[in-house]
PDB file of all heavy atoms in Angstrom:
ATOM      1  N   VAL A   1       3.735 -16.675  10.837  1.00 81.00           N
ATOM      2  CA  VAL A   1       3.182 -16.972   9.518  1.00 81.00           C
ATOM      3  C   VAL A   1       2.727 -15.687   8.823  1.00 81.00           C
ATOM      4  O   VAL A   1       3.027 -15.448   7.656  1.00 81.00           O
ATOM      5  CB  VAL A   1       1.995 -17.965   9.632  1.00 81.00           C
ATOM      6  CG1 VAL A   1       1.278 -18.125   8.305  1.00 81.00           C
ATOM      7  CG2 VAL A   1       2.484 -19.309  10.140  1.00 81.00           C
ATOM      8  N   MET A   2       2.009 -14.832   9.552  1.00 88.00           N
ATOM      9  CA  MET A   2       1.394 -13.663   8.940  1.00 88.00           C
ATOM     10  C   MET A   2       2.379 -12.533   8.625  1.00 88.00           C
ATOM     11  O   MET A   2       2.219 -11.849   7.616  1.00 88.00           O
ATOM     12  CB  MET A   2       0.259 -13.132   9.829  1.00 88.00           C
ATOM     13  CG  MET A   2      -0.944 -14.060   9.906  1.00 88.00           C
ATOM     14  SD  MET A   2      -1.633 -14.516   8.300  1.00 88.00           S
ATOM     15  CE  MET A   2      -2.074 -12.928   7.639  1.00 88.00           C
ATOM     16  N   LEU A   3       3.392 -12.337   9.455  1.00 88.00           N
ATOM     17  CA  LEU A   3       4.336 -11.246   9.211  1.00 88.00           C
ATOM     18  C   LEU A   3       5.074 -11.411   7.872  1.00 88.00           C
ATOM     19  O   LEU A   3       5.090 -10.476   7.059  1.00 88.00           O
ATOM     20  CB  LEU A   3       5.316 -11.094  10.380  1.00 88.00           C
ATOM     21  CG  LEU A   3       6.285  -9.919  10.282  1.00 88.00           C
ATOM     22  CD1 LEU A   3       5.538  -8.598  10.272  1.00 88.00           C
ATOM     23  CD2 LEU A   3       7.276  -9.952  11.445  1.00 88.00           C
ATOM     24  N   PRO A   4       5.650 -12.578   7.597  1.00 85.00           N
ATOM     25  CA  PRO A   4       6.298 -12.730   6.279  1.00 85.00           C
ATOM     26  C   PRO A   4       5.313 -12.584   5.109  1.00 85.00           C
ATOM     27  O   PRO A   4       5.654 -12.014   4.077  1.00 85.00           O
ATOM     28  CB  PRO A   4       6.881 -14.141   6.314  1.00 85.00           C
ATOM     29  CG  PRO A   4       6.969 -14.497   7.749  1.00 85.00           C
ATOM     30  CD  PRO A   4       5.878 -13.752   8.448  1.00 85.00           C
ATOM     31  N   LEU A   5       4.091 -13.073   5.280  1.00 83.00           N
ATOM     32  CA  LEU A   5       3.091 -12.922   4.220  1.00 83.00           C
ATOM     33  C   LEU A   5       2.744 -11.456   3.997  1.00 83.00           C
ATOM     34  O   LEU A   5       2.627 -10.995   2.858  1.00 83.00           O
ATOM     35  CB  LEU A   5       1.823 -13.709   4.564  1.00 83.00           C
ATOM     36  CG  LEU A   5       1.909 -15.223   4.484  1.00 83.00           C
ATOM     37  CD1 LEU A   5       0.621 -15.863   4.983  1.00 83.00           C
ATOM     38  CD2 LEU A   5       2.223 -15.672   3.063  1.00 83.00           C
ATOM     39  N   ALA A   6       2.591 -10.713   5.093  1.00 87.00           N
ATOM     40  CA  ALA A   6       2.256  -9.290   4.985  1.00 87.00           C
ATOM     41  C   ALA A   6       3.383  -8.510   4.320  1.00 87.00           C
ATOM     42  O   ALA A   6       3.138  -7.634   3.479  1.00 87.00           O
ATOM     43  CB  ALA A   6       1.948  -8.715   6.369  1.00 87.00           C
ATOM     44  N   ILE A   7       4.600  -8.831   4.667  1.00 86.00           N
ATOM     45  CA  ILE A   7       5.750  -8.153   4.042  1.00 86.00           C
ATOM     46  C   ILE A   7       5.836  -8.525   2.564  1.00 86.00           C
ATOM     47  O   ILE A   7       5.987  -7.655   1.700  1.00 86.00           O
ATOM     48  CB  ILE A   7       7.059  -8.491   4.783  1.00 86.00           C
ATOM     49  CG1 ILE A   7       7.043  -7.855   6.183  1.00 86.00           C
ATOM     50  CG2 ILE A   7       8.272  -8.012   3.988  1.00 86.00           C
ATOM     51  CD1 ILE A   7       8.161  -8.317   7.095  1.00 86.00           C
ATOM     52  N   ALA A   8       5.721  -9.807   2.268  1.00 80.00           N
ATOM     53  CA  ALA A   8       5.847 -10.266   0.877  1.00 80.00           C
ATOM     54  C   ALA A   8       4.776  -9.658  -0.023  1.00 80.00           C
ATOM     55  O   ALA A   8       5.070  -9.258  -1.154  1.00 80.00           O
ATOM     56  CB  ALA A   8       5.768 -11.793   0.825  1.00 80.00           C
ATOM     57  N   THR A   9       3.545  -9.574   0.471  1.00 81.00           N
ATOM     58  CA  THR A   9       2.471  -9.030  -0.365  1.00 81.00           C
ATOM     59  C   THR A   9       2.529  -7.510  -0.463  1.00 81.00           C
ATOM     60  O   THR A   9       1.846  -6.930  -1.303  1.00 81.00           O
ATOM     61  CB  THR A   9       1.075  -9.446   0.157  1.00 81.00           C
ATOM     62  OG1 THR A   9       0.918  -8.999   1.498  1.00 81.00           O
ATOM     63  CG2 THR A   9       0.884 -10.946   0.066  1.00 81.00           C
ATOM     64  N   SER A  10       3.338  -6.854   0.364  1.00 84.00           N
ATOM     65  CA  SER A  10       3.378  -5.391   0.328  1.00 84.00           C
ATOM     66  C   SER A  10       4.637  -4.825  -0.325  1.00 84.00           C
ATOM     67  O   SER A  10       4.791  -3.609  -0.417  1.00 84.00           O
ATOM     68  CB  SER A  10       3.221  -4.826   1.746  1.00 84.00           C
ATOM     69  OG  SER A  10       4.299  -5.218   2.567  1.00 84.00           O
ATOM     70  N   ILE A  11       5.527  -5.674  -0.807  1.00 81.00           N
ATOM     71  CA  ILE A  11       6.733  -5.192  -1.490  1.00 81.00           C
ATOM     72  C   ILE A  11       6.347  -4.374  -2.728  1.00 81.00           C
ATOM     73  O   ILE A  11       6.957  -3.341  -3.021  1.00 81.00           O
ATOM     74  CB  ILE A  11       7.663  -6.367  -1.872  1.00 81.00           C
ATOM     75  CG1 ILE A  11       8.199  -7.060  -0.605  1.00 81.00           C
ATOM     76  CG2 ILE A  11       8.799  -5.895  -2.766  1.00 81.00           C
ATOM     77  CD1 ILE A  11       9.025  -6.192   0.306  1.00 81.00           C
ATOM     78  N   ASP A  12       5.322  -4.806  -3.439  1.00 82.00           N
ATOM     79  CA  ASP A  12       4.848  -4.056  -4.598  1.00 82.00           C
ATOM     80  C   ASP A  12       4.399  -2.654  -4.187  1.00 82.00           C
ATOM     81  O   ASP A  12       4.604  -1.688  -4.925  1.00 82.00           O
ATOM     82  CB  ASP A  12       3.679  -4.777  -5.270  1.00 82.00           C
ATOM     83  CG  ASP A  12       4.059  -6.144  -5.809  1.00 82.00           C
ATOM     84  OD1 ASP A  12       5.261  -6.448  -5.855  1.00 82.00           O
ATOM     85  OD2 ASP A  12       3.153  -6.896  -6.184  1.00 82.00           O
ATOM     86  N   ALA A  13       3.792  -2.552  -3.028  1.00 87.00           N
ATOM     87  CA  ALA A  13       3.331  -1.254  -2.539  1.00 87.00           C
ATOM     88  C   ALA A  13       4.512  -0.330  -2.219  1.00 87.00           C
ATOM     89  O   ALA A  13       4.423   0.884  -2.394  1.00 87.00           O
ATOM     90  CB  ALA A  13       2.442  -1.434  -1.306  1.00 87.00           C
ATOM     91  N   LEU A  14       5.617  -0.901  -1.773  1.00 86.00           N
ATOM     92  CA  LEU A  14       6.828  -0.114  -1.518  1.00 86.00           C
ATOM     93  C   LEU A  14       7.320   0.519  -2.821  1.00 86.00           C
ATOM     94  O   LEU A  14       7.581   1.725  -2.881  1.00 86.00           O
ATOM     95  CB  LEU A  14       7.921  -0.999  -0.913  1.00 86.00           C
ATOM     96  CG  LEU A  14       9.275  -0.337  -0.664  1.00 86.00           C
ATOM     97  CD1 LEU A  14       9.202   0.594   0.521  1.00 86.00           C
ATOM     98  CD2 LEU A  14      10.348  -1.392  -0.440  1.00 86.00           C
ATOM     99  N   ALA A  15       7.408  -0.277  -3.863  1.00 83.00           N
ATOM    100  CA  ALA A  15       7.849   0.233  -5.164  1.00 83.00           C
ATOM    101  C   ALA A  15       6.866   1.263  -5.711  1.00 83.00           C
ATOM    102  O   ALA A  15       7.267   2.281  -6.284  1.00 83.00           O
ATOM    103  CB  ALA A  15       8.019  -0.918  -6.148  1.00 83.00           C
ATOM    104  N   THR A  16       5.588   1.023  -5.508  1.00 88.00           N
ATOM    105  CA  THR A  16       4.576   1.979  -5.963  1.00 88.00           C
ATOM    106  C   THR A  16       4.712   3.296  -5.209  1.00 88.00           C
ATOM    107  O   THR A  16       4.539   4.370  -5.786  1.00 88.00           O
ATOM    108  CB  THR A  16       3.172   1.378  -5.798  1.00 88.00           C
ATOM    109  OG1 THR A  16       3.103   0.160  -6.540  1.00 88.00           O
ATOM    110  CG2 THR A  16       2.102   2.339  -6.290  1.00 88.00           C
ATOM    111  N   GLY A  17       5.045   3.227  -3.929  1.00 90.00           N
ATOM    112  CA  GLY A  17       5.264   4.440  -3.142  1.00 90.00           C
ATOM    113  C   GLY A  17       6.394   5.289  -3.696  1.00 90.00           C
ATOM    114  O   GLY A  17       6.327   6.527  -3.664  1.00 90.00           O
ATOM    115  N   VAL A  18       7.424   4.640  -4.217  1.00 86.00           N
ATOM    116  CA  VAL A  18       8.517   5.385  -4.849  1.00 86.00           C
ATOM    117  C   VAL A  18       7.972   6.174  -6.036  1.00 86.00           C
ATOM    118  O   VAL A  18       8.304   7.350  -6.216  1.00 86.00           O
ATOM    119  CB  VAL A  18       9.658   4.432  -5.289  1.00 86.00           C
ATOM    120  CG1 VAL A  18      10.695   5.175  -6.120  1.00 86.00           C
ATOM    121  CG2 VAL A  18      10.310   3.777  -4.075  1.00 86.00           C
ATOM    122  N   THR A  19       7.118   5.553  -6.836  1.00 84.00           N
ATOM    123  CA  THR A  19       6.554   6.268  -7.990  1.00 84.00           C
ATOM    124  C   THR A  19       5.683   7.431  -7.543  1.00 84.00           C
ATOM    125  O   THR A  19       5.613   8.452  -8.232  1.00 84.00           O
ATOM    126  CB  THR A  19       5.728   5.332  -8.898  1.00 84.00           C
ATOM    127  OG1 THR A  19       4.558   4.913  -8.236  1.00 84.00           O
ATOM    128  CG2 THR A  19       6.547   4.154  -9.349  1.00 84.00           C
ATOM    129  N   PHE A  20       5.013   7.297  -6.405  1.00 88.00           N
ATOM    130  CA  PHE A  20       4.173   8.395  -5.904  1.00 88.00           C
ATOM    131  C   PHE A  20       4.996   9.659  -5.670  1.00 88.00           C
ATOM    132  O   PHE A  20       4.514  10.767  -5.899  1.00 88.00           O
ATOM    133  CB  PHE A  20       3.463   8.002  -4.612  1.00 88.00           C
ATOM    134  CG  PHE A  20       2.333   7.021  -4.778  1.00 88.00           C
ATOM    135  CD1 PHE A  20       1.841   6.339  -3.677  1.00 88.00           C
ATOM    136  CD2 PHE A  20       1.755   6.769  -6.015  1.00 88.00           C
ATOM    137  CE1 PHE A  20       0.791   5.445  -3.805  1.00 88.00           C
ATOM    138  CE2 PHE A  20       0.719   5.868  -6.149  1.00 88.00           C
ATOM    139  CZ  PHE A  20       0.230   5.213  -5.043  1.00 88.00           C
ATOM    140  N   ALA A  21       6.216   9.512  -5.198  1.00 84.00           N
ATOM    141  CA  ALA A  21       7.071  10.680  -4.947  1.00 84.00           C
ATOM    142  C   ALA A  21       7.380  11.412  -6.246  1.00 84.00           C
ATOM    143  O   ALA A  21       7.457  12.641  -6.269  1.00 84.00           O
ATOM    144  CB  ALA A  21       8.362  10.247  -4.266  1.00 84.00           C
ATOM    145  N   PHE A  22       7.527  10.683  -7.323  1.00 79.00           N
ATOM    146  CA  PHE A  22       7.843  11.301  -8.608  1.00 79.00           C
ATOM    147  C   PHE A  22       6.619  11.942  -9.253  1.00 79.00           C
ATOM    148  O   PHE A  22       6.746  12.822 -10.078  1.00 79.00           O
ATOM    149  CB  PHE A  22       8.432  10.269  -9.577  1.00 79.00           C
ATOM    150  CG  PHE A  22       9.678   9.608  -9.071  1.00 79.00           C
ATOM    151  CD1 PHE A  22       9.889   8.260  -9.261  1.00 79.00           C
ATOM    152  CD2 PHE A  22      10.653  10.335  -8.397  1.00 79.00           C
ATOM    153  CE1 PHE A  22      11.043   7.642  -8.801  1.00 79.00           C
ATOM    154  CE2 PHE A  22      11.806   9.730  -7.936  1.00 79.00           C
ATOM    155  CZ  PHE A  22      12.000   8.382  -8.136  1.00 79.00           C
ATOM    156  N   LEU A  23       5.446  11.481  -8.893  1.00 81.00           N
ATOM    157  CA  LEU A  23       4.219  11.934  -9.542  1.00 81.00           C
ATOM    158  C   LEU A  23       3.437  12.943  -8.710  1.00 81.00           C
ATOM    159  O   LEU A  23       2.325  13.303  -9.066  1.00 81.00           O
ATOM    160  CB  LEU A  23       3.335  10.723  -9.861  1.00 81.00           C
ATOM    161  CG  LEU A  23       3.972   9.685 -10.769  1.00 81.00           C
ATOM    162  CD1 LEU A  23       3.073   8.462 -10.893  1.00 81.00           C
ATOM    163  CD2 LEU A  23       4.269  10.283 -12.131  1.00 81.00           C
ATOM    164  N   GLN A  24       3.981  13.376  -7.597  1.00 79.00           N
ATOM    165  CA  GLN A  24       3.323  14.374  -6.741  1.00 79.00           C
ATOM    166  C   GLN A  24       1.931  13.921  -6.290  1.00 79.00           C
ATOM    167  O   GLN A  24       0.957  14.649  -6.404  1.00 79.00           O
ATOM    168  CB  GLN A  24       3.243  15.728  -7.461  1.00 79.00           C
ATOM    169  CG  GLN A  24       4.564  16.248  -7.976  1.00 79.00           C
ATOM    170  CD  GLN A  24       5.624  16.387  -6.890  1.00 79.00           C
ATOM    171  OE1 GLN A  24       5.341  16.903  -5.816  1.00 79.00           O
ATOM    172  NE2 GLN A  24       6.821  15.916  -7.157  1.00 79.00           N
ATOM    173  N   VAL A  25       1.837  12.713  -5.790  1.00 87.00           N
ATOM    174  CA  VAL A  25       0.587  12.155  -5.293  1.00 87.00           C
ATOM    175  C   VAL A  25       0.399  12.559  -3.829  1.00 87.00           C
ATOM    176  O   VAL A  25       1.369  12.640  -3.075  1.00 87.00           O
ATOM    177  CB  VAL A  25       0.622  10.607  -5.421  1.00 87.00           C
ATOM    178  CG1 VAL A  25      -0.536   9.943  -4.718  1.00 87.00           C
ATOM    179  CG2 VAL A  25       0.667  10.208  -6.883  1.00 87.00           C
ATOM    180  N   ASN A  26      -0.838  12.803  -3.414  1.00 93.00           N
ATOM    181  CA  ASN A  26      -1.145  13.048  -2.005  1.00 93.00           C
ATOM    182  C   ASN A  26      -0.942  11.722  -1.260  1.00 93.00           C
ATOM    183  O   ASN A  26      -1.791  10.836  -1.298  1.00 93.00           O
ATOM    184  CB  ASN A  26      -2.577  13.546  -1.853  1.00 93.00           C
ATOM    185  CG  ASN A  26      -2.967  13.773  -0.404  1.00 93.00           C
ATOM    186  OD1 ASN A  26      -2.367  13.227   0.517  1.00 93.00           O
ATOM    187  ND2 ASN A  26      -3.987  14.572  -0.204  1.00 93.00           N
ATOM    188  N   ILE A  27       0.196  11.583  -0.607  1.00 94.00           N
ATOM    189  CA  ILE A  27       0.579  10.304   0.000  1.00 94.00           C
ATOM    190  C   ILE A  27      -0.381   9.879   1.102  1.00 94.00           C
ATOM    191  O   ILE A  27      -0.649   8.692   1.279  1.00 94.00           O
ATOM    192  CB  ILE A  27       2.052  10.334   0.492  1.00 94.00           C
ATOM    193  CG1 ILE A  27       2.534   8.923   0.860  1.00 94.00           C
ATOM    194  CG2 ILE A  27       2.218  11.285   1.664  1.00 94.00           C
ATOM    195  CD1 ILE A  27       2.546   7.936  -0.264  1.00 94.00           C
ATOM    196  N   TRP A  28      -0.919  10.818   1.845  1.00 96.00           N
ATOM    197  CA  TRP A  28      -1.809  10.464   2.962  1.00 96.00           C
ATOM    198  C   TRP A  28      -3.121   9.885   2.451  1.00 96.00           C
ATOM    199  O   TRP A  28      -3.625   8.904   3.005  1.00 96.00           O
ATOM    200  CB  TRP A  28      -2.027  11.671   3.872  1.00 96.00           C
ATOM    201  CG  TRP A  28      -0.708  12.188   4.355  1.00 96.00           C
ATOM    202  CD1 TRP A  28      -0.113  13.377   4.019  1.00 96.00           C
ATOM    203  CD2 TRP A  28       0.228  11.503   5.210  1.00 96.00           C
ATOM    204  NE1 TRP A  28       1.126  13.472   4.613  1.00 96.00           N
ATOM    205  CE2 TRP A  28       1.359  12.338   5.357  1.00 96.00           C
ATOM    206  CE3 TRP A  28       0.233  10.273   5.854  1.00 96.00           C
ATOM    207  CZ2 TRP A  28       2.466  11.979   6.111  1.00 96.00           C
ATOM    208  CZ3 TRP A  28       1.333   9.922   6.614  1.00 96.00           C
ATOM    209  CH2 TRP A  28       2.428  10.763   6.746  1.00 96.00           C
ATOM    210  N   LEU A  29      -3.640  10.465   1.395  1.00 96.00           N
ATOM    211  CA  LEU A  29      -4.847   9.915   0.773  1.00 96.00           C
ATOM    212  C   LEU A  29      -4.529   8.545   0.173  1.00 96.00           C
ATOM    213  O   LEU A  29      -5.302   7.600   0.325  1.00 96.00           O
ATOM    214  CB  LEU A  29      -5.369  10.869  -0.303  1.00 96.00           C
ATOM    215  CG  LEU A  29      -6.568  10.378  -1.109  1.00 96.00           C
ATOM    216  CD1 LEU A  29      -7.766  10.126  -0.197  1.00 96.00           C
ATOM    217  CD2 LEU A  29      -6.920  11.394  -2.188  1.00 96.00           C
ATOM    218  N   ALA A  30      -3.380   8.446  -0.486  1.00 95.00           N
ATOM    219  CA  ALA A  30      -2.994   7.180  -1.122  1.00 95.00           C
ATOM    220  C   ALA A  30      -2.867   6.056  -0.098  1.00 95.00           C
ATOM    221  O   ALA A  30      -3.411   4.967  -0.301  1.00 95.00           O
ATOM    222  CB  ALA A  30      -1.680   7.359  -1.885  1.00 95.00           C
ATOM    223  N   ILE A  31      -2.153   6.315   1.009  1.00 96.00           N
ATOM    224  CA  ILE A  31      -1.976   5.224   1.983  1.00 96.00           C
ATOM    225  C   ILE A  31      -3.283   4.895   2.698  1.00 96.00           C
ATOM    226  O   ILE A  31      -3.520   3.735   3.030  1.00 96.00           O
ATOM    227  CB  ILE A  31      -0.832   5.498   2.981  1.00 96.00           C
ATOM    228  CG1 ILE A  31      -1.093   6.726   3.843  1.00 96.00           C
ATOM    229  CG2 ILE A  31       0.494   5.601   2.262  1.00 96.00           C
ATOM    230  CD1 ILE A  31      -0.065   6.947   4.934  1.00 96.00           C
ATOM    231  N   ALA A  32      -4.141   5.881   2.886  1.00 97.00           N
ATOM    232  CA  ALA A  32      -5.450   5.599   3.499  1.00 97.00           C
ATOM    233  C   ALA A  32      -6.283   4.704   2.580  1.00 97.00           C
ATOM    234  O   ALA A  32      -6.892   3.724   3.034  1.00 97.00           O
ATOM    235  CB  ALA A  32      -6.192   6.894   3.800  1.00 97.00           C
ATOM    236  N   LEU A  33      -6.295   5.028   1.295  1.00 97.00           N
ATOM    237  CA  LEU A  33      -7.048   4.208   0.338  1.00 97.00           C
ATOM    238  C   LEU A  33      -6.453   2.813   0.202  1.00 97.00           C
ATOM    239  O   LEU A  33      -7.183   1.814   0.230  1.00 97.00           O
ATOM    240  CB  LEU A  33      -7.078   4.889  -1.030  1.00 97.00           C
ATOM    241  CG  LEU A  33      -8.032   6.059  -1.180  1.00 97.00           C
ATOM    242  CD1 LEU A  33      -7.795   6.788  -2.496  1.00 97.00           C
ATOM    243  CD2 LEU A  33      -9.472   5.578  -1.098  1.00 97.00           C
ATOM    244  N   ILE A  34      -5.140   2.747   0.058  1.00 97.00           N
ATOM    245  CA  ILE A  34      -4.485   1.448  -0.112  1.00 97.00           C
ATOM    246  C   ILE A  34      -4.711   0.570   1.112  1.00 97.00           C
ATOM    247  O   ILE A  34      -5.076  -0.605   0.993  1.00 97.00           O
ATOM    248  CB  ILE A  34      -2.981   1.623  -0.406  1.00 97.00           C
ATOM    249  CG1 ILE A  34      -2.787   2.237  -1.798  1.00 97.00           C
ATOM    250  CG2 ILE A  34      -2.233   0.295  -0.292  1.00 97.00           C
ATOM    251  CD1 ILE A  34      -1.377   2.720  -2.068  1.00 97.00           C
ATOM    252  N   GLY A  35      -4.520   1.114   2.301  1.00 97.00           N
ATOM    253  CA  GLY A  35      -4.708   0.343   3.532  1.00 97.00           C
ATOM    254  C   GLY A  35      -6.143  -0.112   3.721  1.00 97.00           C
ATOM    255  O   GLY A  35      -6.412  -1.269   4.044  1.00 97.00           O
ATOM    256  N   THR A  36      -7.091   0.803   3.501  1.00 97.00           N
ATOM    257  CA  THR A  36      -8.507   0.481   3.699  1.00 97.00           C
ATOM    258  C   THR A  36      -9.001  -0.531   2.678  1.00 97.00           C
ATOM    259  O   THR A  36      -9.699  -1.496   3.025  1.00 97.00           O
ATOM    260  CB  THR A  36      -9.353   1.768   3.625  1.00 97.00           C
ATOM    261  OG1 THR A  36      -8.866   2.698   4.594  1.00 97.00           O
ATOM    262  CG2 THR A  36     -10.817   1.485   3.880  1.00 97.00           C
ATOM    263  N   ILE A  37      -8.654  -0.313   1.428  1.00 97.00           N
ATOM    264  CA  ILE A  37      -9.094  -1.243   0.384  1.00 97.00           C
ATOM    265  C   ILE A  37      -8.463  -2.621   0.586  1.00 97.00           C
ATOM    266  O   ILE A  37      -9.130  -3.647   0.437  1.00 97.00           O
ATOM    267  CB  ILE A  37      -8.809  -0.665  -1.016  1.00 97.00           C
ATOM    268  CG1 ILE A  37      -9.791   0.482  -1.285  1.00 97.00           C
ATOM    269  CG2 ILE A  37      -8.886  -1.737  -2.100  1.00 97.00           C
ATOM    270  CD1 ILE A  37      -9.522   1.283  -2.547  1.00 97.00           C
ATOM    271  N   THR A  38      -7.197  -2.654   0.980  1.00 97.00           N
ATOM    272  CA  THR A  38      -6.547  -3.946   1.232  1.00 97.00           C
ATOM    273  C   THR A  38      -7.187  -4.649   2.421  1.00 97.00           C
ATOM    274  O   THR A  38      -7.411  -5.861   2.374  1.00 97.00           O
ATOM    275  CB  THR A  38      -5.036  -3.768   1.460  1.00 97.00           C
ATOM    276  OG1 THR A  38      -4.473  -3.156   0.299  1.00 97.00           O
ATOM    277  CG2 THR A  38      -4.351  -5.103   1.713  1.00 97.00           C
ATOM    278  N   LEU A  39      -7.483  -3.913   3.467  1.00 98.00           N
ATOM    279  CA  LEU A  39      -8.169  -4.486   4.631  1.00 98.00           C
ATOM    280  C   LEU A  39      -9.479  -5.141   4.195  1.00 98.00           C
ATOM    281  O   LEU A  39      -9.740  -6.309   4.496  1.00 98.00           O
ATOM    282  CB  LEU A  39      -8.427  -3.402   5.687  1.00 98.00           C
ATOM    283  CG  LEU A  39      -9.314  -3.829   6.847  1.00 98.00           C
ATOM    284  CD1 LEU A  39      -8.461  -4.425   7.952  1.00 98.00           C
ATOM    285  CD2 LEU A  39     -10.095  -2.654   7.381  1.00 98.00           C
ATOM    286  N   ALA A  40     -10.300  -4.389   3.460  1.00 97.00           N
ATOM    287  CA  ALA A  40     -11.603  -4.900   3.032  1.00 97.00           C
ATOM    288  C   ALA A  40     -11.457  -6.088   2.073  1.00 97.00           C
ATOM    289  O   ALA A  40     -12.164  -7.093   2.217  1.00 97.00           O
ATOM    290  CB  ALA A  40     -12.407  -3.781   2.367  1.00 97.00           C
ATOM    291  N   MET A  41     -10.531  -5.976   1.122  1.00 96.00           N
ATOM    292  CA  MET A  41     -10.341  -7.062   0.162  1.00 96.00           C
ATOM    293  C   MET A  41      -9.803  -8.324   0.837  1.00 96.00           C
ATOM    294  O   MET A  41     -10.180  -9.442   0.465  1.00 96.00           O
ATOM    295  CB  MET A  41      -9.386  -6.624  -0.954  1.00 96.00           C
ATOM    296  CG  MET A  41      -9.905  -5.510  -1.839  1.00 96.00           C
ATOM    297  SD  MET A  41     -11.158  -6.038  -2.987  1.00 96.00           S
ATOM    298  CE  MET A  41     -10.211  -7.115  -4.040  1.00 96.00           C
ATOM    299  N   SER A  42      -8.940  -8.159   1.814  1.00 96.00           N
ATOM    300  CA  SER A  42      -8.389  -9.313   2.534  1.00 96.00           C
ATOM    301  C   SER A  42      -9.463 -10.006   3.358  1.00 96.00           C
ATOM    302  O   SER A  42      -9.528 -11.242   3.392  1.00 96.00           O
ATOM    303  CB  SER A  42      -7.238  -8.877   3.436  1.00 96.00           C
ATOM    304  OG  SER A  42      -6.199  -8.332   2.675  1.00 96.00           O
ATOM    305  N   MET A  43     -10.288  -9.215   4.000  1.00 97.00           N
ATOM    306  CA  MET A  43     -11.378  -9.804   4.773  1.00 97.00           C
ATOM    307  C   MET A  43     -12.335 -10.563   3.850  1.00 97.00           C
ATOM    308  O   MET A  43     -12.739 -11.689   4.146  1.00 97.00           O
ATOM    309  CB  MET A  43     -12.107  -8.724   5.567  1.00 97.00           C
ATOM    310  CG  MET A  43     -11.266  -8.152   6.703  1.00 97.00           C
ATOM    311  SD  MET A  43     -12.068  -6.822   7.599  1.00 97.00           S
ATOM    312  CE  MET A  43     -13.363  -7.716   8.461  1.00 97.00           C
ATOM    313  N   ALA A  44     -12.659  -9.957   2.718  1.00 95.00           N
ATOM    314  CA  ALA A  44     -13.528 -10.617   1.741  1.00 95.00           C
ATOM    315  C   ALA A  44     -12.855 -11.877   1.188  1.00 95.00           C
ATOM    316  O   ALA A  44     -13.505 -12.913   1.011  1.00 95.00           O
ATOM    317  CB  ALA A  44     -13.878  -9.653   0.613  1.00 95.00           C
ATOM    318  N   GLY A  45     -11.556 -11.787   0.933  1.00 91.00           N
ATOM    319  CA  GLY A  45     -10.819 -12.940   0.422  1.00 91.00           C
ATOM    320  C   GLY A  45     -10.861 -14.127   1.362  1.00 91.00           C
ATOM    321  O   GLY A  45     -10.972 -15.275   0.922  1.00 91.00           O
TER     322      GLY A  45
END
């Protein structure tokens, strides 16, 4: 149940990651923030 939900909700993040490459974003900071904030928001949800 959870694996398909996790993949489906993260497809947007895949596309956003593509934009990060074009914008010279610090990917390690970005994925740390995205992962941590999603963890906290999911737990709160």
Side-chain angles (χ1 to χ4, degrees):
V1 171
M2 292 306 300
L3 184 62
L5 288 174
I7 292 170
T9 58
S10 63
I11 295 299
D12 298 349
L14 177 74
T16 302
V18 172
T19 68
F20 287 164
F22 301 140
L23 301 174
Q24 306 303 314
V25 170
N26 178 339
I27 192 62
W28 304 111
L29 176 61
I31 63 174
L33 284 170
I34 291 168
T36 304
I37 288 172
T38 301
L39 171 89
M41 295 286 293
S42 298
M43 291 177 70

